Amino acid sequence: PLDGISATEGVAYLGNGQIALSNEKHGKIVLAHLPEQPGTIDLRRAPTFALGPSDADNSGLEGVEYDRQHDLLYVVKEHSPKALYRLAGLCAAKPQCSFDGVQVEDLSHWLHAVGFVHDFSSVLVAPPLGHVILLSEQNQSLLELDDVGEPRSYRPLNQFSNELNIPQAEGITLGPNGSLYLVSEPNLFYVFTR
């Protein structure tokens, strides 16, 4: 259980037992330590970093992804307006991850060329090229951008029979073997293999 946070949408593992959470309602990223034993995680005094205004209408910060190789944290805002941020310097050369000295880059201009995508619910970074893959719940699709923001591929997820369309796709990640894992509401889990 998480104490001291509401509207948590995304989670990214940073290493050394630390995670980053996106707090949609308050437009913040929150850092936390995973407990050694199961139990409540107290976030009332956890380090936070504001990336946008509070958003009571459920269109704020959604997905968060950490590129450990380059020490970059990517954060995507769902819509109204859609936004993509990259934070550098979160963990490298520090005893533990912190927002001290972090540099924020607004990459929202990367999304202008793909204006036909209505929303973004999750983000991941595909090694080794560092391409960004964005999940759209409304478009039921995956969008791949290269390391300078140029669109590289677009993959609809709703090309199946009506029974297999993915309802409310919310989160994605890649496994070490290249499998794509996707979760949707309510409580559905998908695995796509090559």
Side-chain angles (χ1 to χ4, degrees):
L2 302 176
D3 187 14
I5 194 171
S6 62
T8 306
E9 289 289 339
V11 60
Y13 185 68
L14 306 175
N16 298 320
Q18 286 189 284
I19 57 172
L21 301 164
S22 61
N23 183 335
E24 180 177 35
K25 187 174 183 179
H26 296 104
K28 295 180 180 179
I29 301 301
V30 181
L31 298 182
H33 287 275
L34 295 173
E36 292 185 19
Q37 300 296 321
T40 300
I41 300 175
D42 186 355
L43 299 173
R44 289 174 292 182
R45 289 182 293 281
T48 63
F49 190 85
L51 272 177
S54 296
D55 197 332
D57 70 351
N58 199 35
S59 62
L61 300 181
E62 281 279 322
V64 59
E65 168 77 343
Y66 183 61
D67 177 355
R68 189 177 307 174
Q69 181 180 354
H70 301 103
D71 189 27
L72 298 170
L73 185 73
Y74 289 84
V75 182
V76 67
K77 183 179 181 299
E78 187 172 17
H79 60 77
S80 303
K82 296 173 285 192
L84 178 64
Y85 303 99
R86 181 167 61 193
L87 284 68
L90 188 67
C91 299
K94 296 180 181 179
Q96 64 180 6
C97 301
S98 77
F99 295 117
D100 295 339
V102 76
Q103 297 175 340
V104 179
E105 190 175 2
D106 186 345
L107 302 177
S108 300
H109 60 281
W110 286 13
L111 308 177
H112 295 165
V114 292
F116 61 92
V117 179
H118 299 21
D119 74 322
F120 296 111
S121 56
S122 189
V123 58
L124 71 83
V125 177
L129 300 176
H131 288 194
V132 174
I133 299 174
L134 298 162
L135 173 65
S136 171
E137 181 264 321
Q138 291 180 26
N139 289 71
Q140 288 203 357
S141 62
L142 295 172
L143 171 69
E144 178 185 7
L145 304 174
D146 67 17
D147 59 345
V148 294
E150 291 295 318
R152 290 295 171 213
S153 67
Y154 179 81
R155 179 74 47 126
L157 298 172
N158 60 354
Q159 293 183 338
F160 310 107
S161 71
N162 287 336
E163 294 177 14
L164 294 177
N165 281 346
I166 297 173
Q168 201 167 339
E170 291 288 339
I172 50 171
T173 194
L174 282 174
N177 61 353
S179 294
L180 179 80
Y181 299 92
L182 187 149
V183 293
S184 75
E185 293 181 28
N187 303 324
L188 296 172
F189 180 75
Y190 301 84
V191 180
F192 297 92
T193 57
R194 296 179 189 227

